[in-house]
Structure formats: C-alpha cells, structure tokens
Amino acid sequence: MTLKTRIMCVRRVLRGDTIGYGRAYMAPRDMRVGLLPVGYADGYSREFSNLGRTLIHGRFAPLIGRVCMDQCTVDLTDIPEARVGDEVVLYGRQGSRCLLIDDLARSISSIPNVLVTSLGPRVPRVYVQKAETG
C-alpha cells in the first residue's frame, strides 16, 4: 500500500524562522520547504510532527513543523530539483527506497492497521491488481 501526495507550494525560509503551529520547528539553516496538502483530517497522524519523513525523487525528506488538519511541511533543502507538483510518498515505495508502514506505525507507538483505517474519505483510493506470474 502506498500513500502519496504532491508538493503544492515551495518557499525559502531563513535560519531562525519558525514553521508550524506553536512555532513547532525552528530552521537551523536557510532552507527550502515544501507544503503538502495532507494532514490529520486525511488520516495522516499528527504524531508525525517533526518526526516523520517522506520520499521525494527517491530520497528521504523529513517532515518539519506540526502536521496540521489539512497540510504538513517537508524539508526540500537537500533535494534542490524538487518542484511544485512532484510526487511525495508518505508511505510505500519510490524508486529503490521504501517507507514501511510497519516502521512508521512503530515510530509513533502505533500499529499499521490504525494508520490504514485512519485514512479519511477525502483520500482517493486507486486499486491496482497485480498480474499473476507463471
């Protein structure tokens, strides 16, 4: 199973700027950040605030700041080619890397079933049937 979204906005922030409700994250350096249109109303746990990570262009990019109701923020500094519209994997596979739902659940003291059943009706579902081999 894969949960993915797209970058909807890219901004520069300066060292010392804060990001997220309650100023939950302070930029340790000048940074590029991306805004993702997914949040806890979609079933992406608020527990991932300042803890989760994503895959963008096959590389890990950390979530920064709080996961809000409808959005979250990701550090794009080390992925300079990241642009608005690029695919972001929240869990699942992208290229040769994978964010296992089991590991993500464990990181917030939960279980995979809770993450999967938390996905709200706003999240489109695309069912893909794998072809049988042999």
Side-chain angles (χ1 to χ4, degrees):
M1 181 173 179
T2 301
L3 178 62
K4 56 188 170 181
T5 188
R6 297 205 175 265
I7 299 171
M8 73 176 197
C9 179
V10 176
R11 295 281 189 263
R12 293 210 171 272
V13 297
L14 301 176
R15 181 176 180 254
D17 286 350
T18 56
I19 296 169
Y21 287 131
R23 303 170 62 154
Y25 181 84
M26 182 179 289
R29 60 183 173 162
D30 291 354
M31 302 172 71
R32 283 182 74 233
V33 299
L35 191 63
L36 309 180
V38 64
Y40 61 80
D42 302 299
Y44 192 65
S45 179
R46 195 167 184 269
E47 298 295 319
F48 290 126
S49 299
N50 282 321
L51 173 69
R53 61 184 183 161
T54 65
L55 281 167
I56 302 171
H57 290 276
R59 290 185 294 218
F60 294 112
L63 282 169
I64 55 177
R66 289 224 168 83
V67 174
C68 303
M69 182 182 291
D70 298 308
Q71 59 194 18
C72 56
T73 312
V74 65
D75 181 358
L76 301 175
T77 308
D78 297 327
I79 309 173
E81 68 274 20
R83 301 282 182 263
V84 169
D86 287 353
E87 179 184 87
V88 179
V89 171
L90 302 170
Y91 51 80
R93 179 174 302 281
Q94 188 181 62
S96 63
R97 297 221 168 113
C98 188
L99 288 170
L100 296 175
I101 196 166
D102 299 61
D103 295 338
L104 295 169
R106 195 174 308 108
S107 76
I108 60 170
S109 300
S110 187
I111 59 172
N113 292 1
V114 170
L115 298 184
V116 172
T117 60
S118 295
L119 294 176
R122 300 189 317 181
V123 178
R125 273 88 165 150
V126 177
Y127 298 93
V128 179
Q129 184 175 357
K130 188 174 182 179
E132 291 185 34
T133 60

